[in-house]
């Protein structure tokens, strides 16, 4: 496998492992061969590998909780009369030691915990509620950085690049590079018009730009791009198709006009591909690279790329930095446009060198059938101005859908993955068993590819897992899918809990995908308190590894953003409080597992947990004008995000809904009691490609009773 020049050593090894160690599709001509490993390097001009160092908090847990059973009549549970449970819920509580009860009215976690304080009843502090806290802050910080820094930076860069493209066009008019230069004028005019509808579009591209903007506004689905295919006579290649349904502002981008415009423009710059199989499109990519070298353009580009890399990760596509390195090598440090257009020998040398660049690990171009387009690499390899980012979960999905996995015995293609693919690939036996029961493992090469993905993931080191906030968030979730050994409370040591943990994992993963929908690369299959004298001492779900990693993640977030001047003092204080809370819950978890008594202050922390949750919620949403808890009905926890696309017309929607209640029988001072907490509700369903869901639409579906039911596998731990 050939070296991708500007990747850091860690990321280069990762991409090589995922795209090389797994079986390549036979249609690529590789016949499953393993390419030779590259020599990773970080040449001059590449961005810094990260903003902040991840420092993992040590965990000192010696699980020693004695096994216990729950009496059929709850006779050995001291506070059994505090709660009114249905017979079905009571049965699961006795059987599993816990039960999850759906709730149609809980819009946020803090409502439940504040209710516990006022009733009063013992609280069960859950991993779900802490993970949700981080999601709130992550989304808030990203919004602030985008609104205050990235939106104005993109406007400035766009205007400068449009002016540079017009200058290049005036110089190259009448040469064989004219069409490529004209395409770039249109390319930046579209981006500029998305940011500012009043932009004056140059006359020579007004028609194509107008057609592009109309397709983006209609956002109906996959069709040929008018602008990218202008002057098609220059190339004997198939027209590039774009999925215009991707331009619907989703996530936090649907709420503010400035962020809506930013979402559309960055989607345009992140998705439109100048394919290497097209010489004319490659000429456009070269001219974009040269335009970036003018004035402060590259500095401006880096101001956009670096912060988003810290949040999400590095681009998965050939970038201006790749082309800059090749141009320097072939043409020298300075390139004259006239000589560029006339020097055929050096142009041929450049094309030969560009052909050796590595293709993306994740396909986000809607290509259709291998019988029509058998050379996958040729179809998807190309240059992107601000390419969407490589993520491990998207790469896992890519290797578990068609064409990486083949048809099943009935000839069906796996065009969309399942959310459970992710925890299964990360080592969850329970997730894989559920996938087996659903028939998802019957596709040819699925078991083989899953085994290879699992082996790869198991071998990743901590440096790889913590290279940016996106990966570090996933790293925090890893302990959730690990089996709990002897010494953990009995309610955590059964199959039902393992499934509940999958719901927790997927709920937080949905929030991660939701918050990063603009930047993370999508996957395409290739078609075909009261004053009562009541003992309300609560319990912390003892998962110290998760709390420790959340503390490390909060610290990494704080230090990384502060180092670049992207963090306000108030947000710095908020992240410090979040880190401190996570560390306190880690300590309590360690004590619970070791049967050590908690202090009064620690019980008070559990008792007042809802107050802290409400504080974090208000802090994280203040930039959206939220000032009071009553506004949680307008800003509910529920989110929806599409994570994969079947180009034949469907997307996979992943969602969380209202907060569900969990009742667990926990040991406190050697006696059993029921504690109540909040957990994610998780949904997964297919939806029409041309109608990608937004949060506001999903909220209406939930409120109107139009949401699909949770997955069938959640029935083992859930009862009305």
């Amino acid at each position: 496998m050939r070296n991708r020049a500007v990747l850091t050593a860690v990321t280069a090894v990762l991409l090589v492992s995922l795209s090389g160690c797994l079986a390549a599709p036979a249609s690529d001509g590789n016949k499953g061969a393993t390419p030779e490993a590259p020599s990773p390097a970080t040449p001059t001009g590449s961005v810094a590998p990260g903003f902040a160092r991840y420092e993992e908090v040590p965990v000192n847990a010696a699980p020693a909780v004695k096994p216990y059973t729950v009496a059929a009549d709850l006779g050995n549970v001291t506070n059994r009369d505090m709660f009114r449970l249905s017979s079905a819920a009571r049965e699961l509580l006795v059987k599993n030691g816990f039960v999850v009860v759906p709730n149609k009215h809980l819009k946020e976690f803090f409502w439940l915990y504040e209710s516990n304080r006022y009733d009063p009843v013992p609280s069960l502090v859950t991993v779900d509620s802490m993970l949700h806290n981080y999601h709130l802050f992550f989304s808030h910080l990203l919004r602030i950085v985008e609104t205050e820094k990235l939106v104005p930076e993109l406007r400035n860069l766009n205007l400068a690049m449009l002016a540079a493209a017009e200058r290049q066009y005036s110089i190259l008019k009448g040469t064989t590079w004219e069409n490529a230069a004209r395409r770039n004028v249109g390319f930046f005019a579209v981006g500029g018009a998305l940011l500012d509808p009043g932009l004056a579009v140059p006359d020579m591209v007004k028609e194509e730009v107008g057609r592009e903007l109309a397709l983006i506004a209609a956002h109906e689905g996959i069709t040929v791009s008018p602008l990218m295919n202008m002057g098609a006579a220059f190339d004997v290649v198939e027209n590039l198709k774009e999925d215009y349904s991707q331009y619907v502002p989703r996530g936090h981008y649907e709420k503010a006009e400035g962020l809506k415009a930013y979402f559309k423009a960055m989607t345009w710059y992140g998705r439109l591909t100048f394919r290497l199989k097209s010489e004319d499109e490659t000429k456009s990519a070269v001219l974009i690279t040269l335009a970036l070298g003018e004035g402060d353009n590259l500095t401006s580009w880096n101001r956009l790329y670096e912060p988003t890399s810290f949040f999400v990760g590095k681009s998965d596509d050939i970038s201006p930095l790749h082309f800059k390195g090749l141009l320097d090598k072939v043409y020298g440090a300075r390139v004259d446009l006239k000589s560029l257009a006339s020097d055929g020998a050096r142009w041929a040398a450049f094309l030969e060198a560009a052909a050796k660049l590595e293709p993306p690990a994740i396909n986000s171009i809607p290509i259709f059938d291998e019988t029509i387009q058998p050379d996958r690499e040729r179809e998807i390899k190309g240059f992107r101005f601000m390419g969407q980012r490589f993520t491990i979960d998207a790469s896992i999905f890519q290797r578990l859908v068609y064409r990486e996995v083949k048809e099943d015995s009935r000839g069906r293609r796996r065009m969309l993955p399942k959310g459970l693919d992710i925890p299964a690939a990360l080592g969850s036996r329970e997730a894989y068993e559920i996938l087996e029961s659903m028939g998802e493992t019957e596709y040819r090469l699925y078991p083989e590819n899953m085994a290879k993905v699992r082996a790869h993931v198991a071998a990743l080191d901590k440096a790889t897992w913590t290279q940016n906030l996106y990966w570090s968030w996933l790293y925090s979730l890893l302990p959730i899918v690990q089996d709990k050994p002897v010494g953990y409370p009995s309610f955590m040591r059964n199959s039902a809990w393992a499934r509940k943990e999958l719901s927790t994992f997927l709920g937080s993963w949905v929030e991660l995908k939701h918050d990063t929908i603009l930047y993370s690369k999508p996957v395409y299959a290739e078609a075909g308190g009261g004053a009562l004298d009541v003992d309300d001492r609560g319990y912390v779900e003892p998962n110290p590894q998760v709390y420790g990693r959340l503390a490390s993640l909060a610290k990494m977030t704080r230090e990384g953003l502060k180092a670049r001047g992207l963090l306000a003092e108030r947000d710095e204080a908020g992240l410090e409080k979040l880190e401190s809370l996570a560390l306190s819950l880690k300590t309590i978890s360690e004590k619970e597992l070791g049967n050590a008594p908690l202090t009064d202050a620690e019980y008070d922390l559990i008792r007042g947990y809802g107050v802290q949750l409400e504080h974090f919620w208000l802090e994280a949403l203040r930039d959206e004008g939220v000032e009071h808890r009553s506004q949680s009905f307008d800003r509910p926890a529920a989110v929806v995000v599409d994570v994969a696309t079947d180009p034949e017309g469907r997307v996979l929607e992943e969602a969380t809904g209202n907060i569900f209640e969990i009742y667990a029988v926990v040991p406190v001072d050697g006696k059993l009691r029921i504690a109540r907490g909040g957990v994610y509700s998780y949904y997964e369903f297919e939806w029409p490609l041309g109608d990608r869901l937004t949060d506001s639409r999903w909220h209406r579906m939930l409120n109107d009773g139009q949401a699909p039911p949770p997955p069938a596998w959640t029935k083992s731990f859930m009862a009305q």
Side-chain angles (χ1 to χ4, degrees):
M1 185 172 290
R2 296 173 289 268
N3 181 27
R4 171 175 286 181
V6 302
L7 292 173
T8 64
V10 168
T11 308
V13 170
L14 170 66
L15 292 176
V16 168
S17 298
L18 280 174
S19 60
C21 77
L22 303 186
S27 58
D28 288 353
N30 295 332
K31 305 300 182 184
T34 303
E36 61 178 328
S39 302
T42 308
T44 303
S46 65
V47 296
F51 275 46
R53 190 164 62 93
Y54 182 93
E55 299 177 16
E56 185 150 9
V57 175
V59 173
N60 302 303
V65 178
K66 293 181 179 179
Y68 56 87
T69 58
V70 181
D73 62 352
L74 299 181
N76 61 341
V77 178
T78 59
N79 64 342
R80 58 189 175 275
D81 295 328
M82 274 188 174
F83 307 99
R84 296 179 61 188
L85 297 174
S86 68
S87 58
R90 187 181 178 113
E91 182 179 338
L92 285 180
L93 182 66
V94 170
K95 177 183 177 183
N96 299 323
F98 79 98
V99 63
V100 171
V101 176
N103 189 305
K104 297 180 180 179
H105 308 291
L106 279 174
K107 303 298 184 182
E108 258 295 348
F109 280 92
F110 70 80
W111 280 105
L112 183 143
Y113 288 100
E114 282 291 81
S115 173
N116 285 353
R117 186 165 68 96
Y118 285 109
D119 281 344
V121 299
S123 281
L124 176 64
V125 174
T126 61
V127 163
D128 306 55
S129 59
M130 279 298 291
L131 291 168
H132 180 66
N133 259 355
Y134 183 73
H135 144 70
L136 290 173
F137 254 86
F138 183 99
S139 182
H140 161 72
L141 294 169
L142 185 54
R143 285 196 307 271
I144 294 296
V145 169
E146 288 170 330
T147 302
E148 297 181 358
K149 304 290 186 180
L150 304 189
V151 170
E153 192 70 60
L154 182 60
R155 285 199 176 101
N156 292 337
L157 176 61
N158 194 95
L159 290 174
M161 292 297 290
L162 177 57
E166 290 186 88
R167 286 194 297 273
Q168 289 177 336
Y169 175 75
S170 66
I171 294 172
L172 294 169
K173 193 172 183 181
T175 73
T176 56
W177 286 65
E178 176 182 345
N179 190 70
R182 179 170 165 259
R183 179 187 291 112
N184 286 352
V185 174
F187 180 68
F188 290 107
V190 170
L194 291 172
L195 288 167
D196 177 12
L199 179 83
V201 177
D203 289 339
M204 86 282 282
V205 291
K206 189 167 288 185
E207 179 185 349
E208 291 86 353
V209 169
R211 290 166 63 194
E212 286 288 353
L213 294 174
L215 288 169
I216 289 170
H219 49 75
E220 292 179 347
I222 299 169
T223 191
V224 170
S225 165
L227 179 81
M228 292 301 294
N229 297 292
M230 64 164 49
F234 283 85
D235 274 309
V236 186
V237 296
E238 186 175 359
N239 286 340
L240 177 75
K241 293 179 179 178
E242 171 60 342
D243 182 359
Y244 292 95
S245 70
Q246 292 281 5
Y247 292 84
V248 179
R250 310 186 294 290
H252 65 257
Y253 301 96
E254 71 165 311
K255 296 173 184 174
E257 292 303 316
L259 288 178
K260 285 181 182 179
Y262 175 78
F263 179 94
K264 293 176 183 178
M266 284 294 280
T267 300
W268 174 257
Y269 288 139
R271 289 187 51 80
L272 269 292
T273 307
F274 298 84
R275 299 166 297 174
L276 293 193
K277 74 174 187 178
S278 162
E279 186 173 344
D280 199 60
E281 290 173 30
T282 305
K283 288 178 179 178
S284 286
V286 166
L287 293 175
I288 288 173
T289 303
L290 294 175
L292 262 183
E294 297 182 16
D296 295 328
N297 290 351
L298 183 57
T299 300
S300 182
W301 184 89
N302 265 322
R303 289 197 190 108
L304 287 161
Y305 183 77
E306 288 188 4
T308 52
S309 293
F310 177 59
F311 276 101
V312 187
K314 298 182 183 305
S315 172
D316 185 36
D317 298 281
I318 296 168
S319 77
L321 298 178
H322 294 89
F323 268 31
K324 175 66 166 62
L326 294 184
L327 285 168
D328 287 350
K329 183 177 180 180
V330 175
Y331 288 93
R334 296 183 64 84
V335 182
D336 176 75
L337 290 182
K338 287 290 188 180
S339 62
L340 183 72
S342 61
D343 193 335
R346 282 207 263 190
W347 176 240
F350 179 88
L351 291 176
E352 182 180 357
K356 296 176 182 178
L357 290 171
E358 187 180 331
I362 301 165
N363 170 41
S364 62
I365 296 178
I367 66 175
F368 289 92
D369 196 293
E370 64 182 324
T371 59
I372 301 171
Q373 296 160 312
D375 190 342
R376 178 181 184 271
E377 176 176 324
R378 185 170 185 266
E379 294 302 322
I380 70 174
K381 187 159 76 170
F383 169 104
R384 284 178 170 174
F385 180 60
M386 187 69 71
Q388 292 172 311
R389 314 310 166 83
F390 174 90
T391 60
I392 184 66
D393 49 338
S395 186
I396 289 168
F397 273 165
Q398 187 72 74
R399 277 140 190 84
L400 298 174
V401 295
Y402 185 81
R403 66 178 85 172
E404 298 272 352
V405 300
K406 304 304 181 182
E407 293 88 348
D408 65 8
S409 58
R410 287 177 283 182
R412 296 179 302 179
R413 295 173 174 178
R414 194 173 198 248
M415 301 305 296
L416 290 172
K418 293 291 183 184
L420 286 171
D421 289 338
I422 305 303
L426 299 182
S428 170
R429 291 180 296 177
E430 193 71 33
Y432 193 83
E433 289 175 4
I434 296 171
L435 289 165
E436 276 188 316
S437 70
M438 296 165 65
E440 295 294 324
T441 64
E442 295 176 4
Y443 296 90
R444 187 163 59 89
L445 296 185
Y446 182 96
E448 177 183 338
N449 282 7
M450 175 62 82
K452 291 179 179 179
V453 169
R454 278 181 156 181
H456 167 76
V457 169
L460 295 177
D461 60 17
K462 186 166 67 177
T464 300
W465 275 116
T466 58
Q467 60 188 276
N468 54 57
L469 297 184
Y470 187 105
W471 280 69
S472 297
W473 186 335
L474 281 176
Y475 183 63
S476 299
L477 302 182
L478 292 182
I480 295 174
V481 298
Q482 296 168 357
D483 293 338
K484 303 302 180 286
V486 173
Y488 273 74
S490 295
F491 75 90
M492 299 176 72
R493 300 202 65 243
N494 53 58
S495 175
W497 182 260
R499 293 191 172 202
K500 197 290 302 177
E501 292 282 71
L502 290 175
S503 183
T504 296
F505 177 99
L506 291 167
S508 184
W509 172 73
V510 167
E511 290 180 332
L512 171 61
K513 301 302 289 185
H514 170 272
D515 295 346
T516 60
I517 187 170
L518 175 57
Y519 304 105
S520 57
K521 200 172 188 183
V523 175
Y524 280 68
E526 296 155 25
L532 298 178
D533 186 16
V534 175
D535 184 359
D536 63 344
R537 288 176 296 168
Y539 198 75
V540 171
E541 178 190 329
N543 223 322
Q545 290 84 0
V546 176
Y547 302 126
R549 291 182 183 185
L550 273 174
S552 298
L553 179 56
K555 182 178 182 182
M556 181 184 182
T557 305
R558 184 182 78 250
E559 292 182 348
L561 294 177
K562 186 178 180 180
R564 285 295 195 276
L566 299 175
L567 189 66
E569 287 186 11
R570 187 168 173 177
D571 289 327
E572 181 182 358
L575 287 168
E576 286 176 342
K577 289 178 182 178
L578 184 58
E579 178 188 356
S580 177
L581 178 58
L583 289 173
S584 296
L585 297 180
K586 179 191 80 79
T587 299
I588 293 173
S589 293
E590 292 167 341
K591 285 187 172 184
E592 290 172 338
L593 290 174
N595 295 315
L598 302 188
T599 66
D600 289 343
E602 287 168 334
Y603 280 123
D604 283 342
L605 184 150
I606 298 171
R607 189 175 289 113
Y609 183 61
V611 176
Q612 298 212 42
L613 290 186
E614 183 177 0
H615 166 78
F616 286 122
W617 181 80
L618 287 168
E619 283 293 292
L621 293 176
R622 71 178 189 275
D623 65 293
E624 294 190 344
V626 172
E627 298 177 348
H628 191 268
R629 60 163 56 191
S630 63
Q631 292 174 271
S632 62
F633 292 99
D634 301 321
R635 294 290 193 280
V639 296
V640 66
V641 59
D642 48 275
V643 299
T645 299
D646 172 0
E648 294 181 344
R650 299 173 300 158
V651 297
L652 183 67
E653 297 280 3
E654 301 278 333
T656 60
N658 294 328
I659 307 307
F660 285 179
E661 299 170 74
I662 182 172
Y663 297 83
V665 177
V666 301
V668 175
D669 277 356
K671 295 182 180 180
L672 299 181
R673 65 177 53 191
I674 299 172
R676 179 173 66 181
V679 294
Y680 292 114
S681 57
Y682 167 70
Y683 300 83
E684 177 179 73
F685 51 96
E686 296 180 9
W687 199 253
L689 177 149
D691 189 30
R692 296 176 191 264
L693 291 177
T694 61
D695 287 346
S696 57
R697 176 90 174 278
W698 173 238
H699 296 161
R700 290 195 296 272
M701 290 172 64
L702 287 168
N703 292 337
D704 296 342
Q706 299 301 312
W713 54 266
T714 63
K715 292 180 180 179
S716 64
F717 60 81
M718 195 180 302
Q720 296 296 325

